[in-house]
Amino acid sequence: MARRETKLAAVGSRRLGPAVGLVALIIAMIPMVTPAPVLGQPLPNNTVSVDPAVIGRQLRAAIALGEQARARLAGPGTDDLAATHQLLDTMYRQVRRALGNLNDRKAIAKLPDPLLDMEINKVTLAWNTIRRPVDGYFNSPAKDEWKAGAAQDLQVTMATLRQVEAMFP
């Protein structure tokens, strides 16, 4: 009788083998066929979304880049202004993404939202302000003049973004 049970167990395990393999194959393929943000992973900052949390992350990312650029601009010398310009350019792009998402949010709103209009106006001001040092980097006659103007524009941009960022989760 023990021999019969052993044979039955062996037959059952042979039947189970392909099923386990199939389940393993399906589990292995899930990451390949599902979209990137799975199981509550945060969306990247360059995402197009009307979700206030995404817009808030974009604004906070721009503020963090601005802090890095401000630390570089506050330092002595003009040796590494290309890296500072790159930080400002990336900040500019983050502000532009947030502005685009705010405008998309306004486009789908069914009723007028004065708070949303104020957020759009403030982010537009920040975007236009940070745009001057980004665009003026290559046209500036003296790098010291650009550095002073960039520091001033960055200060205005950061203050404006902080006002708007406080309204987002």
Side-chain angles (χ1 to χ4, degrees):
M1 180 104 163
R3 217 166 55 171
R4 183 173 180 213
E5 288 176 8
T6 305
K7 287 182 180 180
L8 286 175
V11 169
S13 66
R14 277 187 256 154
R15 289 183 188 161
L16 194 58
V20 170
L22 183 61
V23 169
L25 179 65
I26 291 171
I27 289 173
M29 289 181 62
I30 286 175
M32 291 184 268
V33 296
T34 57
V38 177
L39 301 175
Q41 293 177 354
L43 295 171
N45 291 332
N46 60 357
T47 300
V48 176
S49 174
V50 295
D51 182 17
V54 172
I55 297 170
R57 275 198 306 270
Q58 290 170 334
L59 292 172
R60 283 187 286 282
I63 290 170
L65 289 166
E67 289 294 336
Q68 293 174 14
R70 183 169 36 185
R72 287 179 180 259
L73 288 170
T78 58
D79 296 340
D80 200 19
L81 288 183
T84 305
H85 175 260
Q86 184 62 43
L87 282 172
L88 291 173
D89 185 56
T90 307
M91 179 185 180
Y92 164 81
R93 293 169 192 268
Q94 283 294 339
V95 172
R96 180 66 188 108
R97 286 183 191 109
L99 180 60
N101 288 340
L102 284 169
N103 284 324
D104 290 346
R105 193 168 165 210
K106 182 178 180 175
I108 64 170
K110 294 182 181 182
L111 298 172
D113 186 355
L115 184 61
L116 181 60
D117 291 337
M118 193 248 336
E119 292 166 349
I120 290 171
N121 289 338
K122 293 271 187 187
V123 174
T124 301
L125 172 67
W127 179 56
N128 286 331
T129 305
I130 198 62
R131 200 165 134 181
R132 283 192 296 258
V134 170
D135 294 345
Y137 177 75
F138 297 107
N139 300 328
S140 180
K143 295 304 176 190
D144 287 332
E145 290 177 21
W146 177 84
K147 186 176 177 180
Q152 185 178 19
D153 289 339
L154 182 60
Q155 183 177 2
V156 171
T157 301
M158 297 287 287
T160 306
L161 288 178
R162 283 199 172 98
Q163 291 173 0
V164 178
E165 186 260 339
M167 296 181 233
F168 284 93

